[in-house]
Amino acid sequence: MELELRRESVRCWETVCRTKLEQEETAEMIVPDACPDIWQVLDGEGKLLLQRKEPQEGKAEFSGLLKVTILYQPEGEGNLEAMEVTLPIAASPDLPEVTRRSMLQVNAKVLSVDVHLLNPRKVLVRASWQLEVEGFSPQTLSLASMAEEVETYHVRQKTDVFRSLMAVNAQEKSFTYSDTLTLPAGRPEVERLLGTRVSCTCSEARVIGSKLVFKGEAVLKVLCRGEDGKSFSEEFRLPYSQIMDAGEDSEDAVCDLELLFTDVKCGLTEEDPRAVQAELALQAQAVLRKQVEVPVLADLYSTVYDLQTEESPVTAQQLLGRSEEQEMIRWVLVTQGLPVEILDVQARLGRTSQRQEGQDRVLTQEVQLMVLYQGEEGPVCLHEKVMAEHRMAGQGEIPCTFSGELLRVPTAAPAGEGVEVSFPLVFRWMALESQNVPLVNRVTLGEKREEEGQCPSVILRAVRAGETLWDVAKACLSTDQEILEASGLTSGELYPGQMLLIPRK
């Protein structure tokens, strides 16, 4: 018969997948009739708007828009001009462990945008993008905590505590931001909006009761052409504060939050040529983790009956480290001649990687730098790829996940033979160690043991290396308390070779 076990139920979210998807989109674009011919392409910049992410059975479906803004110099003119092309994106990767109940946490990036001039009225656009996907599925662990009817069947049991850092909730919330932004005094009226750039950061996320409160700011940067024909950029900071459900078991949990843009609309108002109307749509994706401790049945035996135990492995995660480390990045882009005026600067985050160097772990974030400046003969755009690194000293071969984030918009200033770009880059990393812990899951009660001839009521036995008092009692079908009393001991601490008097049942 099966011995009845008391069980503890633990609800959590299991990590079922972690992957990166990369795709490339290509399209030819005809210059709109309202725009002048292209003489020189200066820059191509993309915004990835992921409007749908849906888990299915064994796969996921993603779709959205990749909006590419092409900045160019018109033929025979010194002013800047821009046009936009919208490319639909879609992906359906196979993810065997994902179900319809899963939550997908996604970080979306535009890796590169290349624009080739085919003729003054046509361009070829090639853009690549990446989705970093981590999938979570709800599960309920049923862990045996103790055996029932222990006195009836003379059962001795040993309990322990199962400890693990678990994802106790995974939630998402969509929200919008809309505002009319006015250029500061001293800026001219805007004749043409050439491009927009958005980013969003979270400065604080904490659980209060059953709610998650998070806040931060979105940064909107616009590139404009004034009524005087000159181009300039302006930056707006848009603070936000949101509340979402965190679940009943999330008190004292730490939050991993990803923000995803689903739509961006920005344009000049008809009433005021110095005002910009901005509408942003975002999705917050939150994973809440906390240390969970559950009493579990570690081992058991009967002094009278044969018992057969079945163990099942349960994955336990331990937090080895978690931190935010800031690196100040400075880089000089060499120019041909001295810049007359710096019009725009950008740092675009790309792929991430990590490597082991001795006892150090080195995190690497790819950064694409762009500087647009006014030269003596017209506008010039410089591009350069930089590999920003953070060294985790003495961490050894620690399994680590990390992401990079710009803390503020980069600045640029003339320096020596070029332009120096500087910006703070934060590396957010978390190191988790997973191991399978065998736990008692099922116990079968066998027949009552029969005495074999004349058995001594007390035996003398030496402690073997590595044995505990529990091990000795189990091997000899006795109890720890009886062994201590018979041996005249007050402590359960043993040493190899120690002689014990062991009463037999």
Side-chain angles (χ1 to χ4, degrees):
M1 62 175 286
E2 188 171 328
L3 192 66
E4 186 177 351
L5 302 178
R6 189 179 302 174
R7 294 184 176 273
E8 299 283 340
S9 294
V10 181
R11 292 181 295 178
C12 60
W13 290 71
E14 179 187 13
T15 302
V16 294
C17 72
R18 186 180 287 117
T19 186
K20 293 182 181 181
L21 309 174
E22 288 191 15
Q23 281 191 198
E24 185 177 87
E25 312 294 338
T26 305
E28 290 185 358
M29 181 182 180
I30 304 296
V31 178
D33 294 338
C35 296
D37 290 352
I38 300 175
W39 175 67
Q40 177 185 220
V41 174
L42 296 173
D43 186 36
E45 181 182 345
K47 288 192 290 286
L48 183 56
L49 307 175
L50 192 62
Q51 299 173 328
R52 177 172 173 261
K53 59 180 185 73
E54 188 172 321
Q56 302 288 346
E57 296 297 326
K59 67 175 185 178
E61 295 182 354
F62 303 100
S63 62
L65 301 175
L66 179 57
K67 293 189 175 183
V68 177
T69 301
I70 302 170
L71 189 66
Y72 69 93
Q73 187 175 2
E75 203 169 82
E77 297 182 23
N79 296 336
L80 295 179
E81 190 58 75
M83 60 182 184
E84 186 177 81
V85 56
T86 300
L87 307 176
I89 65 165
S92 300
D94 290 331
L95 302 172
E97 302 300 322
V98 168
T99 69
R100 294 182 185 274
R101 298 177 62 202
S102 301
M103 195 281 272
L104 302 174
Q105 189 181 48
V106 179
N107 182 15
K109 297 178 181 179
V110 178
L111 297 178
S112 65
V113 176
D114 296 317
V115 182
H116 297 279
L117 182 62
L118 302 178
N119 62 55
R121 303 298 298 176
K122 181 186 289 188
V123 294
L124 175 66
V125 179
R126 182 179 291 112
S128 63
W129 52 276
Q130 181 190 76
L131 300 181
E132 295 180 340
V133 182
E134 190 168 6
F136 300 86
S137 291
Q139 68 168 349
T140 300
L141 298 178
S142 180
L143 306 179
S145 59
M146 65 174 59
E148 303 284 8
E149 299 181 278
V150 292
E151 294 183 1
T152 303
Y153 298 108
H154 304 273
V155 173
R156 305 293 296 175
Q157 58 185 335
K158 181 173 69 171
T159 59
D160 201 350
V161 177
F162 175 78
R163 296 179 175 87
S164 178
L165 182 71
M166 293 184 175
V168 293
N169 208 349
Q171 293 283 355
E172 52 191 20
K173 177 187 178 180
S174 298
F175 64 98
T176 59
Y177 186 102
S178 179
D179 199 359
T180 301
L181 312 168
T182 304
L183 293 172
R187 291 296 193 186
E189 293 185 353
V190 179
E191 179 186 79
R192 176 94 155 86
L193 193 62
L194 300 175
T196 60
R197 186 179 307 136
V198 290
S199 62
C200 196
T201 59
C202 177
S203 58
E204 183 182 358
R206 58 194 179 101
V207 178
I208 302 177
S210 63
K211 300 298 181 181
L212 172 64
V213 180
F214 61 99
K215 57 186 177 181
E217 66 177 11
V219 178
L220 172 66
K221 192 172 184 179
V222 294
L223 181 63
C224 309
R225 187 176 69 222
E227 60 179 358
D228 56 0
K230 295 182 179 180
S231 300
F232 63 93
S233 59
E234 191 61 52
E235 176 186 317
F236 300 96
R237 296 186 174 273
L238 316 175
Y240 70 86
S241 180
Q242 293 288 321
I243 299 176
M244 64 189 295
D245 185 37
E248 297 178 356
D249 302 324
S250 299
E251 191 71 34
D252 300 325
V254 294
C255 179
D256 177 20
L257 189 73
E258 288 284 354
L259 295 166
L260 191 68
F261 280 99
T262 58
D263 199 9
V264 175
K265 295 178 181 178
C266 191
L268 298 173
T269 63
E270 295 181 359
E271 299 81 9
D272 186 356
R274 294 170 49 80
V276 177
Q277 179 66 38
E279 297 180 13
L280 311 179
L282 302 96
Q283 185 181 69
Q285 311 158 93
V287 177
L288 300 167
R289 293 181 173 90
K290 67 183 293 186
Q291 186 74 13
V292 176
E293 297 186 354
V294 185
V296 291
L297 181 60
D299 196 8
L300 78 169
Y301 67 94
S302 171
T303 58
V304 176
Y305 291 85
D306 288 324
L307 295 183
Q308 291 184 346
T309 61
E310 294 182 13
E311 294 182 335
S312 298
V314 180
T315 301
Q317 287 192 323
Q318 303 303 324
L319 182 64
L320 301 182
R322 178 188 179 100
S323 184
E324 296 184 4
E325 308 289 343
Q326 183 176 323
E327 298 284 351
M328 192 65 190
I329 310 300
R330 301 181 186 276
W331 197 264
V332 176
L333 284 75
V334 179
T335 61
Q336 295 181 354
L338 294 177
V340 176
E341 181 184 4
I342 296 175
L343 304 176
D344 194 15
V345 58
Q346 185 187 9
R348 307 165 184 168
L349 301 186
R351 297 178 180 88
T352 59
S353 61
Q354 52 184 294
R355 68 182 187 275
Q356 194 72 27
E357 289 187 359
Q359 290 300 309
D360 297 349
R361 196 76 173 171
V362 180
L363 312 180
T364 303
Q365 172 69 67
E366 180 184 282
V367 184
Q368 293 277 355
L369 298 180
M370 184 280 291
V371 174
L372 176 67
Y373 67 93
Q374 184 70 34
E376 295 179 355
E377 298 181 359
V380 181
C381 193
L382 297 178
H383 300 86
E384 193 163 339
K385 183 187 294 186
V386 175
M387 307 306 289
E389 293 186 345
H390 172 68
R391 182 175 295 271
M392 300 166 61
Q395 292 293 339
E397 297 183 4
I398 181 172
C400 177
T401 59
F402 82 97
S403 62
E405 183 178 315
L406 292 173
L407 289 183
R408 62 170 172 78
V409 175
T411 59
E417 298 180 350
V419 176
E420 183 184 72
V421 178
S422 62
F423 55 91
L425 180 64
V426 64
F427 288 81
R428 292 191 173 93
W429 61 269
M430 179 172 62
L432 293 175
E433 182 181 51
S434 299
Q435 61 180 17
N436 288 329
V437 179
L439 297 177
V440 175
N441 186 49
R442 187 170 180 264
V443 180
T444 302
L445 184 68
E447 298 294 330
K448 191 173 183 179
R449 296 190 187 92
E450 296 182 3
E451 294 185 3
E452 300 178 359
Q454 294 296 324
C455 294
S457 59
V458 178
I459 63 173
L460 185 64
R461 184 183 185 278
V463 177
R464 297 163 188 164
E467 279 189 325
T468 64
L469 185 59
W470 170 270
D471 298 327
V472 174
K474 181 179 180 181
C476 298
L477 301 177
S478 184
T479 69
D480 48 4
Q481 188 61 37
E482 290 174 345
I483 294 175
L484 290 175
E485 291 177 358
S487 302
L489 301 176
T490 58
S491 171
E493 295 183 5
L494 306 181
Y495 58 86
Q498 183 178 2
M499 302 304 294
L500 299 176
L501 285 173
I502 302 173
R504 298 290 299 273
K505 289 289 185 182

